[in-house]
Amino acid sequence: MKYRTLASFLLISVLLTGCGSLVGRHNIDSGFAYIESHEYLNALESFNNAEEKGEDACLLHRGRGIALLKLGEYEEASTELLASLAADEGIVDDMDFDTNYYLADAFFGMGEYNKAKEVYDAILGLRSKDSSAHYLRGVALLASGNHDDAYADFSRAIALNPKDYSMIIMIFRALDDHGYGEEATALLQTAMDNGKDFMSNYEKGQISFYLGNNAEAQSFLEAARNERDQEKEPVVLLLGQTGEKQGDYNYAISVYKTYISENPNSAKVFNQLGMCQIKQGDYEGAVSSFQSGLSIGDKDVEQALMMNEITAYEYMGEFGLAASLMETYLKTYPEDEAAARENVFLSTR
């Protein structure tokens, strides 16, 4: 009850307040730059420096909360994000709502699904037509075992944005993951039936893929791959997965290599190519793919590429090299507990 009183006040207070001064925030700007590049420990150091220098409390607590959230320190993140809301001193803006989204994410990470729901309640109290908030509240309700209210939120989210097929697929996956497979499939099939006359080939390919209609998915995605105005990378990644799904790694590898020959700066495709090569036992080829991906410098994929390279070396029996790379990996991503356990194994080899 104490939390509820505090949170209600802070969430309502965004109507009147917002983060303050934009001057004197050198360390804060550095901290957010580090977050952008996924260097969360460096970000925390910058926000600590910002606090010592008396920089904007609202922004530094927000940044510290986001960095902690990314590191998986959910309880500490929630404390910082609440502190950011408490320090608001300006006109409400999108940043205030964004901070609340991060706060709900932190509560969700803690398993505090009802608290996450309360945050979304507050957001929807001010923005009743926010389809993302309805979707996310539905996920929180589903996680807490409240299927009926979750489904009502999912239905509302779709009604508000019926052409957001990425969101509909996420709803499908949430329902399917919680044991409502038939319901999830029916929802996805309805989206396909209602939208087939104006959906793009890529969108049809996506939904066909998740419906399990692999041949249809390939047909739509192959057509999308040849369309001039279609962004190609997501098409290629999903098209390759249609092959992987059937165990046809030769097809998947061909799709990925064809794309890379024309677009050599896709770290995501190099990563997926390497994973296929591992499954085929081509560990040297996989290492080469992962290293090519790492050379691109895409921070969004770097962690996966580093870990997958280590895995490929393990399969090759190069345990000393794998251990050395793991040491570097853990310095960059110390929050990865599974990798830390794997490091213990490597140290005994």
Side-chain angles (χ1 to χ4, degrees):
M1 184 62 68
K2 182 179 179 182
Y3 155 76
R4 185 169 297 170
T5 303
L6 175 64
S8 296
F9 170 77
L10 291 174
L11 292 167
I12 292 169
S13 73
V14 302
L15 282 169
L16 303 174
T17 62
C19 287
S21 173
L22 298 180
V23 298
R25 39 182 272 187
H26 169 74
N27 291 294
I28 287 174
D29 289 342
S30 294
F32 280 105
Y34 281 127
I35 288 175
E36 189 70 22
S37 63
H38 299 213
E39 298 175 71
Y40 303 121
L41 294 179
N42 287 336
L44 289 175
E45 184 177 350
S46 290
F47 293 126
N48 289 339
N49 292 337
E51 191 166 33
E52 290 176 5
K53 298 292 185 181
E55 296 182 24
D56 187 276
C58 172
L59 289 172
L60 74 87
H61 284 299
R62 168 183 158 81
R64 190 185 280 155
I66 294 171
L68 288 165
L69 181 65
K70 298 297 186 181
L71 289 168
E73 301 291 343
Y74 301 118
E75 187 169 357
E76 291 180 43
S78 68
T79 299
E80 291 294 329
L81 293 165
L82 284 166
S84 175
L85 291 170
D88 275 356
E89 294 180 349
I91 298 172
V92 65
D93 57 20
D94 288 342
M95 183 182 293
D96 299 304
F97 286 96
D98 194 50
T99 299
N100 279 289
Y101 273 110
Y102 282 117
L103 176 61
D105 200 11
F107 285 142
F108 195 94
M110 294 162 61
E112 297 280 2
Y113 306 124
N114 287 330
K115 289 183 179 179
K117 173 192 171 293
E118 289 177 7
V119 178
Y120 295 126
D121 287 344
I123 292 171
L124 287 165
L126 301 174
R127 293 182 172 179
S128 62
K129 295 185 177 181
D130 188 326
S131 60
S132 293
H134 278 290
Y135 156 67
L136 290 166
R137 187 171 69 178
V139 172
L141 286 163
L142 198 60
S144 67
N146 189 342
H147 164 270
D148 291 349
D149 286 347
Y151 194 84
D153 259 327
F154 291 151
S155 297
R156 178 62 174 156
I158 294 170
L160 286 167
N161 205 348
K163 294 183 181 179
D164 186 348
Y165 299 109
S166 293
M167 182 183 67
I168 293 172
I169 288 169
M170 289 190 294
I171 291 171
F172 161 82
R173 296 178 72 173
L175 287 166
D176 191 50
D177 288 346
H178 284 84
Y180 300 102
E182 289 186 11
E183 188 174 66
T185 298
L187 183 152
L188 208 54
Q189 186 64 58
T190 298
M192 182 69 138
D193 293 341
N194 291 342
K196 59 186 176 183
D197 291 336
F198 48 79
M199 293 166 66
S200 69
N201 281 314
Y202 173 57
E203 289 165 341
K204 291 176 183 176
Q206 279 184 297
I207 292 185
S208 296
F209 177 84
Y210 287 104
L211 284 172
N213 301 331
N214 223 51
E216 280 188 12
Q218 282 188 351
S219 177
F220 287 128
L221 293 168
E222 286 283 8
R225 183 165 63 157
N226 295 318
E227 291 171 353
R228 179 177 298 178
D229 296 331
Q230 171 66 50
E231 184 184 357
K232 298 301 190 295
E233 184 183 76
V235 174
V236 165
L237 288 167
L238 194 58
L239 183 58
Q241 286 177 65
T242 64
E244 293 181 49
K245 199 175 178 182
Q246 300 175 94
D248 189 351
Y249 297 112
N250 287 329
Y251 172 79
I253 286 172
S254 173
V255 169
Y256 299 141
K257 284 188 172 180
T258 297
Y259 179 78
I260 287 170
S261 68
E262 299 173 356
N263 305 274
N265 293 316
S266 175
K268 289 180 181 178
V269 176
F270 271 117
N271 185 56
Q272 207 63 31
L273 171 61
M275 294 300 294
C276 283
Q277 289 167 318
I278 283 180
K279 288 171 183 175
Q280 284 202 320
D282 180 9
Y283 306 126
E284 290 185 4
V287 166
S288 177
S289 294
F290 296 138
Q291 289 177 346
S292 294
L294 284 166
S295 70
I296 294 168
D298 185 339
K299 293 293 184 180
D300 289 332
V301 196
E302 185 176 81
Q303 183 173 5
L305 286 163
M306 290 178 71
M307 192 67 242
N308 290 336
E309 181 188 10
I310 292 166
T311 300
Y313 276 122
E314 286 187 56
Y315 278 121
M316 292 171 67
E318 298 282 356
F319 296 110
L321 185 50
S324 176
L325 290 171
M326 181 66 82
E327 185 178 349
T328 301
Y329 174 89
L330 286 172
K331 287 179 181 177
T332 309
Y333 303 103
E335 73 280 5
D336 190 335
E337 295 179 1
R341 291 192 294 272
E342 182 68 12
N343 191 42
V344 172
F345 164 76
L346 285 172
S347 68
T348 66
R349 301 297 294 182

